[in-house]
Amino acid sequence: MIVGLGIDVVDVARFARTLERTPSLRGRLFTEAELDLSVESLAGRFAVKEALAKALGAPGDLRWTDAEVQRGEHGAPRLLVRGSVAACAARRGAAEFLVSISHDGGIATAVVLAQGGPGATTSHEAP
């Protein structure tokens, strides 16, 4: 069962300028495991987190660091959620997230599909 769908695009150069202008933003947006990635990868991960928020109905109480984009099997992106994001996902009935990220022409694009229902596997981590 589809719980929600989100999409987001990020201009990589603009995102890089924002991170340069506000260095503390990195720590508010990304987990320790994500911090040392290239600006292109960070822009893609930010697009995923924005798309995730949209897929969950765009609640205002999500912490960006409660969602982490990881490389799954064969390098495919996967989401690990905890804390505020896991709680929101549980309230919405989302047990699994499908993620796609693409980069082209200086733009990072991400789509997140939140699924729930019988047979959905969990991608949540205990808080």
Side-chain angles (χ1 to χ4, degrees), residues 29-35 37 45-46 48-49 52 63-72 76-83 85-86 97 99 101 123 125:
L29 297 177
F30 302 107
T31 67
E32 287 293 321
E34 296 170 321
L35 283 175
L37 297 170
R45 279 161 171 76
F46 183 67
V48 169
K49 293 176 186 204
L52 171 63
R63 293 191 57 213
W64 296 111
T65 55
D66 283 346
E68 182 176 306
V69 181
Q70 300 177 331
R71 285 184 179 230
R78 73 178 199 100
L79 270 169
L80 176 67
V81 299
R82 56 176 89 59
V85 178
F97 301 98
V99 180
I101 308 170
S123 55
E125 178 181 270

Side-chain angles (χ1 to χ4, degrees), residues 31-121:
T31 67
E32 287 293 321
E34 296 170 321
L35 283 175
D36 291 329
L37 297 170
S38 70
V39 71
E40 291 83 7
S41 290
L42 291 176
R45 279 161 171 76
F46 183 67
V48 169
K49 293 176 186 204
E50 283 278 342
L52 171 63
K54 292 171 184 175
L56 293 176
D61 61 345
L62 299 181
R63 293 191 57 213
W64 296 111
T65 55
D66 283 346
E68 182 176 306
V69 181
Q70 300 177 331
R71 285 184 179 230
E73 189 175 353
H74 307 293
R78 73 178 199 100
L79 270 169
L80 176 67
V81 299
R82 56 176 89 59
S84 63
V85 178
C88 179
R91 284 192 307 272
R92 297 281 314 236
E96 180 180 38
F97 301 98
L98 302 178
V99 180
S100 181
I101 308 170
S102 185
H103 296 80
D104 188 42
I107 301 292
T109 304
V111 176
V112 174
L113 177 69
Q115 298 187 121
T121 60

